[in-house]
């Protein structure tokens, strides 16, 4: 992992700044120009030599309502152009400690969801073989299951922090077992998860029966409905989650529809009464110190995001995920 502990102005810090990729700064190139990569970082063909990488999955063929998430990765990258490298809130400076690049998109098959699932797993095997931590720009939530299959091969079963309005534990949708409402049922079947270290945060909305959110609870998961999050900081919750996860490998999956549609209208299955953007930041920043082995941000649908707000939030949340990775010191 990248260098740690270099003080400002030190020889080591100067070397780090020269040798590690940096986002293109706003004083070098106007924010409206430059490469169309995440944070205007250098592009790379593979994850070779990287500590972490941004990768897109332009997919919406697992979507059940409003489409458009195939356009999510491109729009998230575009709206990331305003993000600067230093985190003023946490003191994290990820580009001083990690080698990071944008490795482009997974070449999925937009005409075959089941083939795409296997394409994703194979692609992530390659990323993980290089030891890089993938930060994924979605794309509909189906994609998390094939990523977790590759993660399991590399790290074994993992703890899961799943932020979402929906539990995504359906047995099937329209008779199909592969869809964006099913990924965590499939991941559970494949043995990808440590059941007593799975946390679902923000579940809400209407259902078909009173026990709609109880399938996960029956497996030993902790399912926290949105109403339990209203009117409060989620920092104490994240402290509890960190204590329960300990040093286990953990995957963070963040569905943008966890946020109230007042903040993030650009998604396919909106539900009222969701989290605030500040609570989302508390969740992601609360993952610092955990053994994060991968993260994703899914379900951004630009056609329903007229002002770009949803993609702006998504881009910033992905940056915050980078800041929370192992090897990135936080302000004490």
């Amino acid at each position: 992992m990248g260098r740690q502990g270099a003080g400002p102005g030190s020889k080591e810090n100067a070397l780090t700044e020269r040798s590690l990729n940096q986002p293109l700064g706003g004083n070098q190139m106007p924010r409206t120009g430059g490469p169309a990569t995440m944070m205007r970082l250098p592009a790379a063909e593979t994850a070779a030599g990287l500590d972490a990488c941004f990768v897109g999955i332009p997919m919406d063929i697992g979507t059940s309502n409003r489409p458009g998430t195939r356009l999510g990765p491109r729009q998230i990258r575009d709206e990331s152009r305003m993000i600067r490298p230093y985190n003023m809130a946490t003191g994290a400076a990820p580009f001083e400690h990690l080698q990071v690049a944008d490795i482009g998109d997974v070449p999925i098959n937009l005409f075959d969801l089941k083939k795409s699932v296997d394409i994703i797993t194979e692609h992530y095997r390659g990323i993980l073989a290089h030891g890089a931590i993938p930060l994924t720009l979605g794309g509909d939530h189906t994609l998390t299951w094939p990523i977790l299959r590759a993660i399991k091969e590399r790290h074994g079963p993992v703890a899961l922090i799943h932020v979402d309005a929906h539990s995504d534990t359906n047995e099937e949708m329209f008779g199909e077992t592969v869809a964006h409402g099913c990924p965590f049922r499939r991941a559970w079947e494949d043995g990808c998860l440590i059941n007593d270290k799975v946390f679902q945060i923000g579940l809400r909305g209407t259902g078909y029966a009173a026990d709609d959110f109880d399938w996960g609870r029956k497996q030993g998961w902790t399912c926290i409905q949105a109403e339990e999050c209203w009117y409060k900081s989620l920092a104490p919750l994240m402290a509890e989650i960190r204590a329960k996860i300990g040093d286990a490998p953990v995957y963070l999956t963040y569905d943008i529809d966890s946020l109230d549609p007042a903040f993030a209208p650009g998604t396919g299955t909106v539900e009222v009464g969701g989290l605030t953007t500040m609570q989302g930041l508390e969740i992601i920043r609360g993952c610092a110190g955990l053994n994060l082995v991968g993260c994703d941000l899914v379900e951004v649908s630009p056609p329903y995001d007229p002002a770009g707000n949803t993609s702006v939030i998504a881009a910033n949340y992905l940056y915050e995920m980078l800041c929370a990775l192992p090897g990135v010191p936080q302000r004490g």
Side-chain angles (χ1 to χ4, degrees):
M1 204 57 82
R3 304 171 185 85
Q4 297 187 46
S10 70
K11 181 178 180 181
E12 182 183 0
N13 195 60
L15 176 63
T16 299
E17 291 178 356
R18 287 198 304 271
S19 61
L20 296 181
N21 292 338
Q22 299 294 314
L24 180 62
N27 292 323
Q28 299 168 271
M29 170 66 70
R31 296 287 179 186
T32 49
T37 56
M38 185 66 183
M39 292 184 66
R40 306 196 303 176
L41 280 163
E45 292 187 6
T46 73
L50 301 179
D51 297 311
C53 59
F54 292 104
V55 55
I57 304 182
M59 181 172 81
D60 61 5
I61 48 177
T63 302
S64 60
N65 190 37
R66 304 192 305 198
T69 55
R70 67 179 63 189
L71 305 175
R74 180 168 296 192
Q75 191 66 29
I76 293 168
R77 287 182 172 109
D78 188 37
E79 297 296 352
S80 74
R81 64 186 184 270
M82 274 295 296
I83 304 174
R84 302 167 186 87
Y86 181 76
N87 193 317
M88 300 296 289
T90 68
F95 304 105
E96 293 182 10
H97 302 279
L98 304 179
Q99 185 69 294
V100 187
D102 187 325
I103 64 169
D105 296 325
V106 179
I108 61 158
N109 183 336
L110 281 175
F111 301 101
D112 194 318
L113 179 58
K114 293 173 183 176
K115 284 184 179 177
S116 291
V117 162
D118 289 337
I119 291 168
I120 293 166
T121 297
E122 183 60 29
H123 197 90
Y124 277 73
R125 287 184 182 124
I127 294 171
L128 295 167
H130 291 297
I133 300 174
L135 301 166
T136 302
L137 293 64
D140 74 65
H141 219 158
T142 313
L143 61 85
T144 304
W145 168 46
I147 294 173
L148 286 171
R149 293 194 304 191
I151 291 279
K152 179 194 173 187
E153 293 174 5
R154 178 78 180 186
H155 298 285
V158 296
L160 181 74
I161 299 174
H162 169 208
V163 192
D164 203 325
H166 311 96
S167 67
D168 291 354
T169 55
N170 293 345
E171 172 57 31
E172 61 180 37
M173 299 185 77
F174 301 100
E176 297 291 335
T177 58
V178 182
H180 76 159
C182 308
F184 302 105
R185 177 77 72 104
R186 303 287 87 81
W188 172 82
E189 291 172 346
D190 286 342
C192 297
L193 307 175
I194 304 172
N195 281 327
D196 64 349
K197 298 181 188 296
V198 174
F199 301 88
Q200 296 186 305
I201 305 171
L203 307 183
R204 66 185 190 278
T206 53
Y208 292 102
D211 62 353
D212 274 9
F213 294 151
D214 289 345
W215 185 89
R217 293 183 174 113
K218 292 174 183 176
Q219 316 314 316
W221 302 2
T222 301
C223 302
I224 302 158
Q225 293 181 219
E227 290 79 5
E228 300 174 63
C229 303
W230 289 359
Y231 318 117
K232 65 177 71 171
S233 166
L234 298 187
L237 170 65
M238 292 310 298
E240 294 175 12
I241 289 174
R242 288 195 304 273
K244 291 177 180 177
I245 290 177
D247 60 1
V250 56
Y251 189 89
L252 170 63
T253 179
Y254 201 107
D255 189 325
I256 204 69
D257 72 23
S258 64
L259 297 179
D260 190 87
F263 301 101
T267 191
T269 48
V270 293
E271 306 282 1
V272 300
L275 305 179
T276 68
T277 55
M278 291 73 78
Q279 288 175 317
L281 287 172
E282 288 180 315
I283 291 170
I284 299 170
R285 291 174 180 174
C287 291
L290 291 172
N291 180 22
L292 284 168
V293 296
C295 308
D296 65 50
L297 190 294
V298 300
E299 297 287 355
V300 172
S301 181
Y304 297 93
D305 191 28
N309 291 4
T310 310
S311 295
V312 169
I313 296 166
N316 278 272
Y317 278 11
L318 282 155
Y319 167 72
E320 292 283 347
M321 292 173 187
L322 177 67
C323 291
L325 293 185
V328 181
Q330 312 288 308
R331 183 185 295 120

